[in-house]
């Protein structure tokens, strides 16, 4: 990413929050967020899964006035502005279509290789 990436992530998050309340899927899943910014601040294209050690407050994507404790991020890095909405939709579809027990397995994984293997197989 470019040097001002974090500042632009934070600014975009204020305008367009990315927190997702997973309780409609299952009360046993952690809330997630999908932070991203414009492609001009990114050098590549990938999704970076991040398990947070401590929950971080994000505003809800659907109800921006509501805050959520988020425990897992799908950080979008995308230097192709045309593909941003597509990647976001793919993540949302993944969360909605993956069985809860499998999502629990993902969110309880403690190693980078476990998370990578799970996403390679299921995403």
């Amino acid at each position: 990413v470019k040097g001002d990436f974090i500042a632009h992530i934070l600014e975009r998050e204020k305008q367009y929050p990315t927190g997702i309340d997973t309780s409609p899927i299952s009360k046993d899943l952690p809330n997630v967020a999908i932070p991203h910014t414009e492609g001009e601040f990114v050098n590549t294209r990938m999704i970076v899964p991040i398990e947070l050690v401590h929950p971080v407050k994000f505003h809800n994507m659907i109800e921006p006035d509501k805050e959520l404790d988020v425990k897992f991020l799908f950080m979008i890095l995308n230097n192709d502005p045309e593909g941003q909405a597509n990647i976001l939709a793919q993540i949302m579809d993944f969360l909605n279509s993956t069985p809860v027990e499998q999502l629990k397995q993902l969110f309880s994984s403690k190693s980078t290789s476990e998370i990578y293997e799970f996403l390679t197989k299921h995403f």
Side-chain angles (χ1 to χ4, degrees), residues 7-27:
H8 288 279
I9 283 277
L10 294 172
E11 186 58 35
R12 190 170 203 296
E13 198 65 38
K14 286 180 191 174
Q15 302 292 323
Y16 307 102
T18 64
I20 298 173
D21 178 4
T22 59
S23 65
I25 299 169
S26 172
K27 302 266 188 228

Side-chain angles (χ1 to χ4, degrees), residues 20-26 29 32 34 61-62 74 88-100 103 107 122-123:
I20 298 173
D21 178 4
T22 59
S23 65
I25 299 169
S26 172
L29 296 176
V32 301
I34 309 174
M61 182 185 289
I62 306 301
F74 291 95
L88 187 58
Q90 287 176 329
I91 295 169
M92 300 291 284
D93 287 346
F94 167 74
L95 291 171
N96 285 317
S97 65
T98 303
V100 170
L103 289 173
F107 296 131
H122 298 283
F123 187 78

Side-chain angles (χ1 to χ4, degrees), residues 45-60:
R45 185 175 184 193
M46 68 177 62
I47 300 170
V48 182
I50 302 169
E51 180 187 16
L52 300 170
V53 174
H54 303 286
V56 173
K57 298 252 186 235
F58 275 77
H59 285 267
N60 188 319

